[in-house]
Amino acid sequence: MKSAGRVLDLLEYLSQRREAVSLSQIIRDLGFPKSSAHGLLQTLTARGHLTQDEAGRYILIESSHGFPFRPHEEPLVVTARPYMERLRDDSGETVLLSTMNAHCDIRRLAKCVSHHPLRYDVHLDAAITPYCTATGRLLLAHARPDVLESYLSRVQFLTYTRYTVTDPAELRRLLAKVRRDGYALNDQEFITGSTGIAAPVCNGDGEVIAALNLGTLTSRFLERRELLILMVREAAFQLSRAMGYRP
């Protein structure tokens, strides 16, 4: 019974963190004996519930207690993790990885949260409004024309802050600018005081498969605007190369 309890404790712990965790950290946080923790982790990995990144840290793949990765998402998340952590550490800000389906529903896959006492953070399963977020605009800008037109024809444009763009013609202009500039920016359009920057992650065929997003307080963004944009674009480019992209 103790072993079964530890399995549940371990799954709940990993589902709440939603980031790669080392064996030593698991032992410290849960107080498990090293041999017991290692055996449970190896069993869960062999059964397909966990995977390990390049540093040997463990990430939850599938659990009824957590947020499951789909089969095609796992390699992306595992590959992206070190680039996300490096961007988080270099910028000091929160980093997220998201994808979008053909219905323009956006799914957050992973996050690396800033260590700042005052920081941007969001639940992975929280709803995303594509037309007024950096991640959403980035992915809409690179969607197929028919997918974009379908979205624009059915979406209800709501005003979330005094900065929210709700005019379809202006939004089309902004999406064209995203394609031209290579990044998307959301400056307080969804949450006052919050700014997001997103850049495309491409696969070996040159298709945009995800958005790498940096979320920060607007006050900190204004202090380092050009540097933060450059850092996000460079991290997304390096991740794309790791996914097989060759410009």
Side-chain angles (χ1 to χ4, degrees), residues 19 88 93-95 111-116 119-121:
E19 60 185 18
R88 186 264 319 272
E93 306 298 346
T94 295
V95 179
K111 67 177 179 178
C112 292
V113 180
S114 167
H115 299 306
H116 274 293
R119 59 183 180 249
Y120 177 87
D121 194 6

Side-chain angles (χ1 to χ4, degrees), residues 147-204:
V147 170
L148 176 60
E149 291 306 318
S150 175
Y151 171 79
L152 294 177
S153 68
R154 70 177 184 272
V155 67
Q156 181 180 5
F157 293 100
L158 302 176
T159 300
Y160 291 92
T161 75
R162 63 190 181 95
Y163 302 101
T164 307
V165 174
T166 57
D167 177 60
E170 176 65 8
L171 180 60
R172 290 177 188 276
R173 187 190 69 79
L174 289 171
L175 295 179
K177 187 175 188 299
V178 169
R179 290 190 293 271
R180 183 173 65 250
D181 294 347
Y183 69 93
L185 184 66
N186 159 37
D187 192 6
Q188 304 189 80
E189 291 188 49
F190 191 56
I191 301 173
T192 302
S194 170
T195 299
I197 312 161
V201 177
C202 302
N203 63 14

